[in-house]
Each structure stands twice: as structure tokens, then as C-alpha cells.
Amino acid sequence: MALKATVHRATLQVSDLDRHYYATHTLTLAQHPSETDARLMVRLLAFGLFAEERLEFGRGISSEGEPDVWLRSLTGDIEHWIELGQPEEADVRRACGRSRRVTVVGYSGRGFGLWWEKNAAGLARCANLDVVELPAGTAEALAPLLARGMDLQCLVQDGEVQLMGEGGSVAVTPVWHQRAA
């Protein structure tokens, strides 16, 4: 018998002082049986970091050819493609061809550093690509904030992201390896 996704609901209040974006998002997150709590919370942190009115979660890790988080225009064009982890270089290039802006969010510490060393030269030609790394241990620090129903606040100020909830608070300073032109 196949395992089903676990559904989490979150109210995320975003205060992004760097971009002057302030909104409350009511979100439903489906956690695939193979997705860890830490990865799910990284997805939520990425949503807060890049929050916009029409930003939404993709169908998850079981759906190939679709990002973890994305922003689509009213006509269905992909405006922002956000991928977590260490995707294949060919997949990143394909996403860059399909979307106005692509962001890769790495969160696995040394593993992501090695991925970036291997792919930096090839991805440097992608003018619409951002590559950002969350410091080692961030995903694990976020995991205790996970609950079936969450009320969270996300504060972005001076390049630092702070995610706060009933389970505590986690402050993160992402490291930008590449920024879109």
C-alpha cells in the first residue's frame, strides 16, 4: 500500500524590510513520505525569503520538471523558479530557459559547496540564475518548528532571515554565490 503525503497548514506572516513586502500567506504544504521535516521547513523558509502574492508550492519531490516553489504570471508564464538542493546542471539550464528568474537554494552544508565548485563555471553563463546557500545546520535547526498547524513569522532584514514560531526562532544569513544580472 502506498504511503500518502502528510498535510501541514501554515499561516506565514512575511515582513521583508529589504524588499518592502508585507503580507500574510495561508499555506498548505504536502509532505511526500520521502521528504524530511528539515527539507519541508527549508521549502517554507524559501517561500518566506522570496514571498510574493502569487508565489506557490510545486507538487513536490515526486513531480519531475516542476520546481519546489514557483511564481507564475496571470497568463501562466513562469516568472520565478525556485529549486532546493543540488539539481543537475542540465535541469538548472532547462529551468533558466523556461523561466524569467531561477533560484537554487542549497542547504546541505559541505555537500552543496562541492556541488557549487563542480557547477559554478557552467552555470555562470545563466544570466537569470541566483544561487544561494543556507549555512550548514540550518535545515536541522528549522525542523523543530514543524507542526501540522503552524503560525509563523518570517522577518527579512539586511540580508538575514528569521523564522519564528511556537517551537522557537531560527536566524539565517544566506550566502549568495551568484546573482541574476
Side-chain angles (χ1 to χ4, degrees):
M1 183 170 168
L3 297 173
K4 294 188 178 191
T6 303
V7 176
H8 300 274
R9 301 202 188 283
T11 301
L12 182 66
Q13 295 176 356
V14 178
S15 298
D16 189 333
L17 292 114
D18 293 349
R19 295 185 302 133
H20 304 290
Y21 178 82
Y22 311 94
T24 299
H25 297 268
T26 302
L27 305 169
T28 301
L29 295 97
Q31 183 179 15
H32 189 273
S34 66
E35 183 176 32
T36 65
D37 293 350
R39 187 181 189 284
L40 179 78
M41 291 306 293
V42 169
R43 245 192 321 147
L44 192 57
L45 181 75
F47 186 99
L49 183 59
F50 300 103
E52 296 210 24
E53 184 181 342
R54 291 183 323 277
L55 194 66
E56 60 188 8
F57 293 108
R59 285 184 280 193
I61 57 179
S62 61
S63 300
E64 290 199 24
E66 190 173 299
D68 294 297
V69 183
W70 59 356
L71 176 68
R72 292 184 287 181
S73 70
L74 295 174
T75 60
D77 294 335
I78 304 170
E79 294 181 9
H80 194 177
W81 179 297
I82 302 170
E83 191 74 39
L84 303 182
Q86 303 168 32
E88 295 293 324
E89 181 181 344
D91 293 338
V92 175
R93 289 176 171 284
R94 194 172 307 112
C96 287
R98 293 179 60 193
S99 177
R100 284 194 196 138
R101 179 179 173 200
V102 174
T103 302
V104 174
V105 178
Y107 60 93
S108 62
R110 182 73 183 130
F112 186 77
L114 293 171
W115 176 87
W116 179 241
E117 286 176 20
K118 176 185 171 193
N119 294 292
L123 295 176
R125 295 179 296 225
C126 298
N128 61 336
L129 175 65
D130 291 320
V131 178
V132 62
E133 179 180 3
L134 303 178
T138 298
E140 294 76 18
L142 289 169
L145 297 176
L146 180 64
R148 292 292 290 266
M150 298 175 275
D151 278 324
L152 300 167
Q153 294 81 38
C154 181
L155 173 65
V156 181
Q157 182 177 14
D158 298 328
E160 182 180 271
V161 184
Q162 189 171 10
L163 194 62
M164 300 162 279
E166 292 177 18
S169 174
V170 178
V172 180
T173 303
V175 177
W176 292 86
H177 293 291
Q178 178 173 321
R179 289 198 184 249

